[in-house]
Amino acid sequence: KENRTAALVVEAVLKGFRAIDTACQPKHYREDLVGDALLTLQKQGINREDLFLQTKYTPIGGQTTSKPLPYDPATSITTQVNASFKTSLSQLHTNYLDSYIIHSPLPTLEETLEAWAALGALQDAGHIRKIGVSNTYDVRVLQALAAVRPIQVVQNRWHEKNRWDREVCRYCKDQGIEYQSFWTLSGSPSLLAVPELVSIAAASECTPEQVLFKLALMNGVTPLSGTTDKIHMEESVAVPTLELVDTSGQRNALERIIWGSS
């Protein structure tokens, strides 16, 4: 959200959000402005320990040299991870992270495993509570990482074009890994218009978007919300307590569409 980041983070937290996802990637994120928002929130009585804070190590393939880099790309992967992590702590005005994830697999599995080991060392030192990966759609990569150290978070695109990432979702559910979704709404416009979903929304007196978020939560998927709209913020934080009204088995039909199960 560029220069709007700080104001929007404050607005979202005041509306009820208690988890924040960002990245040490100046190309697409203003992690520093998330940190400014946290300082503002402290003045309003919402402290660091009241929030779940997650950020990412972004490999050089996801960075741009037109923006300040959080590490020297000529150094080892381990050194890059540690430098990026220190930058994140400084920008977010904290001495620990609730979750730290690799933004995407590196060009080789060997490099990805090195980054994973660096995250593990930070976790062992008590600086990180959870570690994980993002943009990882090959279960074999997840299995290779898990063979070294348990994965606690996977954050992927979850939408109709990639068939809701079914294989990775199933793997995460079987292994007790938290699955976070993005593009949940913007990537599934056809699903939001399915009659069964629209019917449940009408009966439940909520929006189709809320129904999709609720179905995700009920099936072990934690959707990320990137809205800038105050009303949508309120609708999002209301989802966990939402009771879906399903009088004709529409929910089962929707879950078959999403999960491919009977």
Side-chain angles (χ1 to χ4, degrees):
K1 306 302 184 287
E2 299 182 347
N3 291 335
R4 300 176 65 197
T5 296
L8 287 168
V9 169
V10 170
E11 184 74 43
V13 172
L14 294 179
K15 290 293 185 183
F17 281 87
R18 287 297 178 271
I20 300 168
D21 173 72
T22 185
C24 196
Q25 183 196 30
K27 179 180 180 180
H28 293 306
Y29 291 81
R30 288 297 305 272
E31 187 184 64
D32 59 320
L33 294 184
V34 173
D36 288 353
L38 296 176
L39 294 178
T40 299
L41 288 165
Q42 285 179 2
K43 296 176 183 178
Q44 301 189 47
I46 299 174
N47 298 316
R48 163 68 184 92
E49 56 269 23
D50 299 323
L51 302 170
F52 180 94
L53 191 57
Q54 174 175 277
T55 190
K56 310 174 187 77
Y57 156 69
T58 305
I60 192 61
Q63 303 281 4
T64 177
T65 55
S66 66
K67 302 280 188 178
L69 294 175
Y71 53 77
D72 180 354
T75 59
S76 70
I77 299 300
T78 299
T79 302
Q80 291 177 30
V81 169
N82 289 329
S84 185
F85 179 73
K86 289 180 181 178
T87 298
S88 291
L89 291 186
S90 176
Q91 293 191 143
L92 295 170
H93 309 292
T94 184
N95 58 9
Y96 75 97
L97 292 173
D98 297 285
S99 180
Y100 194 50
I101 61 181
I102 301 173
H103 209 157
S104 62
L106 283 79
T108 68
L109 180 57
E110 181 180 8
E111 291 173 311
T112 304
L113 287 169
E114 182 180 349
W116 187 240
L119 263 64
L122 290 169
Q123 187 178 43
D124 286 342
H127 302 308
I128 305 168
R129 293 178 176 173
K130 294 183 177 183
I131 59 174
V133 292
S134 182
N135 295 294
T136 305
Y137 302 93
D138 189 337
V139 169
R140 293 171 298 179
V141 174
L142 297 175
Q143 291 170 332
L145 297 177
V148 175
R149 191 177 194 91
I151 302 169
Q152 284 138 348
V153 177
V154 168
Q155 182 190 111
N156 276 358
R157 294 178 181 87
W158 188 78
H159 58 103
E160 55 194 37
K161 287 187 178 180
N162 74 351
R163 294 172 60 83
W164 294 283
D165 200 21
R166 290 173 185 167
E167 187 178 0
V168 171
C169 278
R170 290 189 186 114
Y171 176 81
C172 289
K173 187 173 183 179
D174 290 343
Q175 299 298 318
I177 299 168
E178 178 183 349
Y179 184 100
Q180 300 174 356
S181 69
F182 63 99
W183 288 13
T184 310
L185 301 179
S186 59
S188 297
S190 298
L191 182 64
L192 289 168
V194 167
E196 290 88 348
L197 191 147
V198 174
S199 176
I200 291 176
S204 306
E205 298 183 344
C206 65
T207 68
E209 290 81 3
Q210 285 178 300
V211 172
L212 182 52
F213 269 11
K214 183 66 174 184
L215 287 174
L217 285 174
M218 293 171 73
N219 286 278
V221 172
T222 301
L224 277 67
S225 173
T227 185
T228 61
D229 185 280
K230 295 179 182 180
I231 293 176
H232 291 167
M233 289 180 187
E234 294 172 352
E235 291 172 345
S236 293
V237 297
V239 168
T241 59
L242 185 67
E243 294 290 337
L244 296 185
V245 177
D246 176 18
T247 57
S248 305
Q250 296 105 323
R251 176 185 155 191
N252 290 336
L254 287 169
E255 291 184 342
R256 283 196 296 271
I257 293 173
I258 298 170
W259 304 102
S261 57
S262 58

